[in-house]
Amino acid sequence: MTKFYFTLAFIFTVITLFAQTGNYDVATITEAMKKNAYSVKREERIEFEVKAIDKAYYKVHKVITVLNEAGKDEFLFYEFSDKFHSLEEVSIQIFDSKGKSVKKYSKSDLTKQATGEGLVPDGKVYYINTPVAEYPATIKIDYELKFNGTLDYPDFNVQLPEQSVENAVFIAKIPAELDLRFKPKNTALNPVITSDDKYKIYTWTVNNLPALEYEEGSVKGSSRFPKILISPNKFELDGYAGDMTSWQNFGKWYASLIKDAGNMPEERKLFFKNMVKDIADDKEKIKLIYTYLQNNFRYVSIQLGIGGFKPFDADFVDKKKYGDCKALSNYMQACLTAVGLKSYQALINASYNQAPVDPDFPHNGFNHDILCVLAGKDSVWLECTSTTTDFGVLGNFTENKNALLITEDGGKLVATPKSKASENRFGCNSLVTLKEDGSGTATAQLTSTGEYRQDFLNYIFDQKKDDQKKYLVNYIGFLQPDEFEINYDKANRIAPVKLQLDIEKIPEFTAGNKQFLNPRIYKIWRSVLPKAENRTQDFYFEHPFIKTDTTIYKLPEGFSLETLPKTKDIKFEYGSFKSNYVYDENKKTITTTARLELTEYKIPAAKFLDTKKFFNEVMAEYTEKIVVKKL
């Protein structure tokens, strides 16, 4: 035992001495480490020591050289603190390109801000953005976190996108009777394991890792780049002991945490019973109560785990009319229980381009809480934090995932619904009245479902006129209007949005007596996909979709058609595009129609070249012109 502590003390002394005298001159970085890199991890030493089932310490020493502005996020220090995690001392030092120290900061220099609107006990965030005069520059950070609860062991994030690594060491020291589990992700790195009569010590070491390129549109960096997942076997949080060796056992722990959180006064239970008493269909009951939740409660954005996992009591949420994800899901569950409907809370890792949690490695990778309701033989999934999401539709950030249902028998990992194109629709019907000088007016009716409706609610409804215009022009791709009006029904937000546009120049260009019109007054697709050559990662669209358009051009007196583009019918494995053009001589109108469908949101790397070609052809269709001329 004495020998072991002497060894650790020696290692710490060497690390401290090296940290004080390290050479951070950028000239010492090899060209191999600079290649494709925004930053270089010069040295990193992380020590995670578990003292007991509910106590641990996490010490970090790291030195990062930022080569250019693209890596500037490394100069932001940001840490949460609550009753389960306390930030101890912090030391930050900035060096110039020659390795000369130019600025020092301590914990007292950090901005401290309360977080969680009272829902997070002792909730604070500490942060500082350390400015630098020029690049390259280097930041050295030393800090310590104290864990008052051990549900989450910190993972070893080996490297970030566009970051090379000169040297990094992660040491986990844990009582032998507790031990830990680990799983390498996107790496074959394994630890050296040593032990004495009380502790096991895991040491991971990496040297001279070249930077890995981030491929635009690929899976989230935390799922793509080398890391070691580290999880406890036994843990304790908030006085509740648990076991994470299986998903079932983890679910049993969470069930014990929430078992008494559904308390609701009898008069409130009677309120919900009376609300649905005349409804026979279970889905309609669920929908009515869900609509009540959406219309009367507010979401407070707190990531699951910040401030603990125990939700606020349903009675508290009922009175306050707000809560975080776990509080609102728990409240909705209590409301449904009051009317005799069974539901299960479900933990999930939310993000459209985040890989699902690993079924074979129980690990708390969750950041969100949703609800799964039983309705006969069907399941209804509810996103309880949104006031606008369609009933029974989760949305792109929780679809296509593995969710941990918290059942009477413990945790059960199940797949959430897949994204469907039919649930994300955008439609536009326009009448464009063209004038002889190329100006004109347009009336348009926009319809939407799913993610497109969320966009409307976020960027059109109740927004300033300048912000609405930016959305119409920069996001949807409408021609720049000189004047415009948007009309929508505030009481019925699923109703179409109506636009009235005055446009000074409708043709793309004019030549003599001819005007060259685009197929429609907005771009049905406008995003240039990233390069396809040598792609190794799958590409993620935000969601599958169906977009349709009908545009009618009303020609001015004395004008006639000269040329129409050819009809298009383009297909590839994951989508299709059709367009058509019709001229009515009697009415002096040109009608264009288009339909674009993407059936899958995740495109395998091997199929991305075909995908890029398809969308390039769709964009090329917009460049073909309808030619009209003055007789």
Side-chain angles (χ1 to χ4, degrees):
M1 178 71 83
T2 303
K3 182 180 179 182
F4 170 75
Y5 280 118
F6 173 79
T7 302
L8 271 187
F10 176 77
I11 291 172
F12 181 77
T13 301
V14 171
I15 289 171
T16 303
L17 182 62
F18 183 71
Q20 291 171 344
T21 60
N23 182 2
Y24 304 137
D25 190 333
V26 175
T28 65
I29 302 174
T30 66
E31 289 304 313
M33 290 292 97
K34 292 179 182 178
K35 185 178 180 181
N36 299 322
Y38 296 156
S39 66
V40 181
K41 187 184 290 187
R42 312 293 297 274
E43 58 192 51
E44 180 177 67
R45 300 290 186 272
I46 298 175
E47 296 179 23
F48 177 63
E49 182 175 357
V50 178
K51 296 285 191 180
I53 193 171
D54 63 342
K55 298 290 181 186
Y57 290 87
Y58 180 67
K59 298 179 181 179
V60 177
H61 163 76
K62 64 179 179 179
V63 180
I64 308 291
T65 293
V66 178
L67 300 176
N68 52 55
E69 190 175 9
K72 66 181 179 181
D73 287 350
E74 294 289 352
F75 291 107
L76 172 65
F77 178 85
Y78 189 92
E79 279 292 339
F80 280 105
S81 180
D82 57 27
K83 73 174 185 176
F84 303 110
H85 309 85
S86 58
L87 180 64
E88 306 297 296
E89 290 306 307
V90 178
S91 173
I92 300 174
Q93 194 169 359
I94 305 298
F95 301 83
D96 66 15
S97 62
K98 299 297 184 182
K100 179 183 176 182
S101 177
V102 295
K103 187 70 176 178
K104 293 182 179 181
Y105 304 90
S106 65
K107 186 179 178 181
S108 62
D109 296 311
L110 273 58
T111 298
K112 181 175 68 173
Q113 185 174 313
T115 186
E117 297 193 31
L119 294 181
V120 178
D122 302 322
K124 301 179 184 67
V125 59
Y126 293 85
Y127 64 93
I128 186 170
N129 200 347
T130 55
V132 295
E134 60 182 1
Y135 298 96
T138 298
I139 182 169
K140 181 175 75 170
I141 302 174
D142 292 273
Y143 69 97
E144 181 178 352
L145 291 173
K146 180 181 178 182
F147 284 55
N148 298 307
T150 55
L151 171 63
D152 296 313
Y153 284 5
D155 298 327
F156 177 24
N157 295 300
V158 178
Q159 66 185 135
L160 300 176
E162 277 84 23
Q163 181 183 77
S164 61
V165 181
E166 290 186 337
N167 175 261
V169 177
F170 188 104
I171 301 169
K173 176 186 172 186
I174 187 164
E177 72 272 13
L178 293 177
D179 209 354
L180 56 76
R181 293 170 298 109
F182 67 89
K183 187 167 186 177
K185 289 287 187 179
N186 306 307
T187 178
L189 181 65
N190 280 305
V192 173
I193 305 174
T194 57
S195 62
D196 63 10
D197 59 348
K198 186 177 179 181
Y199 287 96
K200 290 185 73 172
I201 304 97
Y202 296 77
T203 304
W204 288 267
T205 304
V206 295
N207 294 289
N208 299 320
L209 297 180
L212 294 175
E213 183 183 1
Y214 174 73
E215 296 183 41
E216 185 181 346
S218 62
V219 70
K220 203 168 184 178
S222 57
S223 299
R224 159 70 179 94
F225 290 88
K227 71 186 302 182
I228 309 296
L229 298 181
I230 303 175
S231 273
N233 291 319
K234 307 288 185 181
F235 65 91
E236 185 175 307
L237 185 71
D238 210 11
Y240 292 80
D243 181 310
M244 203 183 287
T245 57
S246 70
W247 289 117
Q248 183 180 25
N249 287 342
F250 182 37
K252 286 180 180 178
W253 171 79
Y254 195 81
S256 70
L257 207 63
I258 66 175
K259 68 177 181 178
D260 296 322
N263 297 320
M264 186 179 287
E266 288 302 320
E267 63 268 22
R268 293 301 291 163
K269 293 180 182 178
L270 183 60
F271 170 81
F272 290 106
K273 288 176 183 177
N274 288 333
M275 181 186 292
V276 300
K277 66 180 180 180
D278 297 324
I279 301 174
D281 183 74
D282 283 349
K283 284 189 178 180
E284 290 301 316
K285 292 179 182 178
I286 300 166
K287 184 175 182 179
L288 186 59
I289 296 175
Y290 182 65
T291 302
Y292 172 80
L293 176 77
Q294 289 186 307
N295 290 341
N296 293 279
F297 290 77
R298 178 172 61 90
Y299 169 55
V300 177
S301 180
I302 304 170
Q303 182 172 305
L304 184 67
I306 301 298
F309 274 71
K310 190 172 184 178
F312 282 89
D313 192 86
D315 185 39
F316 172 90
V317 177
D318 190 63
K319 289 183 172 70
K320 296 292 186 179
K321 297 293 187 288
Y322 65 79
D324 61 0
C325 63
K326 59 185 182 291
L328 294 174
S329 294
N330 179 73
Y331 177 74
M332 183 69 189
Q333 184 179 39
C335 296
L336 295 171
T337 299
V339 300
L341 293 172
K342 190 70 178 176
S343 63
Y344 297 114
Q345 291 186 46
L347 306 181
I348 199 163
N349 63 329
S351 179
Y352 79 92
N353 63 342
Q354 179 85 34
V357 296
D358 187 342
D360 300 322
F361 186 75
H363 175 79
N364 182 34
F366 304 114
N367 62 3
H368 195 47
D369 191 335
I370 57 178
L371 198 65
C372 181
V373 191
L374 303 184
K377 295 182 179 180
D378 296 330
S379 297
V380 178
W381 292 88
L382 299 178
E383 173 52 66
C384 298
T385 64
S386 174
T387 60
T388 57
T389 297
D390 294 339
F391 169 72
V393 177
L394 284 179
N396 65 341
F397 73 122
T398 50
E399 295 170 329
N400 317 294
K401 294 285 189 290
N402 293 324
L404 187 67
L405 290 189
I406 309 303
T407 75
E408 302 88 343
D409 300 320
K412 183 180 180 182
L413 209 61
V414 301
T416 61
K418 286 191 64 176
S419 298
K420 298 177 182 177
S422 60
E423 293 174 348
N424 302 296
R425 291 178 177 268
F426 174 90
C428 181
N429 292 320
S430 306
L431 173 61
V432 183
T433 303
L434 190 64
K435 296 181 180 178
E436 185 175 339
D437 63 359
S439 65
T441 61
T443 57
Q445 181 169 281
L446 308 180
T447 57
S448 61
T449 65
E451 296 302 323
Y452 290 113
R453 182 173 298 155
Q454 297 304 308
D455 287 344
F456 279 18
L457 294 168
N458 291 333
Y459 301 113
I460 291 183
F461 291 1
D462 302 327
Q463 298 300 311
K464 295 179 180 178
K465 195 164 185 178
D466 285 348
D467 293 331
Q468 291 174 331
K469 185 176 181 178
K470 287 178 183 177
Y471 174 73
L472 291 174
V473 175
N474 298 335
Y475 184 78
I476 299 182
F478 271 97
L479 294 177
Q480 182 85 16
D482 297 284
E483 298 290 338
F484 75 99
E485 292 292 334
I486 297 182
N487 295 295
Y488 54 89
D489 187 347
K490 291 186 177 182
N492 179 17
R493 297 198 169 193
I494 66 172
V497 173
K498 297 179 180 180
L499 304 180
Q500 179 72 41
L501 308 169
D502 292 338
I503 304 171
E504 184 178 353
K505 182 186 175 186
I506 292 176
E508 184 74 14
F509 60 91
T510 59
N513 66 340
K514 297 179 181 180
Q515 296 185 8
F516 294 78
L517 307 173
N518 294 315
R520 55 202 68 87
I521 58 169
Y522 75 99
K523 296 177 180 178
I524 201 167
W525 183 260
R526 62 193 309 271
S527 299
V528 178
L529 299 186
K531 68 176 185 177
E533 294 77 14
N534 303 316
R535 190 171 182 94
T536 63
Q537 295 294 302
D538 298 342
F539 182 87
Y540 286 72
F541 289 91
E542 290 192 12
H543 51 81
F545 58 81
I546 297 173
K547 301 182 78 173
T548 58
D549 177 83
T550 299
T551 297
I552 300 174
Y553 283 104
K554 176 68 175 175
L555 302 186
E557 192 68 32
F559 275 70
S560 182
L561 174 71
E562 180 170 285
T563 306
L564 283 177
K566 293 181 179 179
T567 295
K568 296 289 187 297
D569 189 354
I570 312 167
K571 293 183 176 68
F572 82 121
E573 187 172 347
Y574 304 110
S576 61
F577 175 74
K578 289 185 177 182
S579 63
N580 191 45
Y581 311 87
V582 176
Y583 175 57
D584 187 320
E585 176 71 37
N586 294 326
K587 295 181 179 179
K588 296 293 184 183
T589 59
I590 300 166
T591 301
T592 79
T593 58
R595 185 183 191 276
L596 173 63
E597 179 172 8
L598 179 71
T599 59
E600 294 289 339
Y601 82 107
K602 180 180 174 182
I603 308 298
K607 302 289 185 179
F608 183 67
L609 178 59
D610 292 341
T611 306
K612 183 174 174 63
K613 287 179 178 177
F614 170 79
F615 281 100
N616 284 348
E617 289 185 61
V618 174
M619 288 192 293
E621 182 267 351
Y622 185 77
T623 66
E624 298 186 16
K625 297 296 177 268
I626 301 167
V627 183
V628 298
K629 63 181 180 180
K630 185 177 181 181
L631 299 175

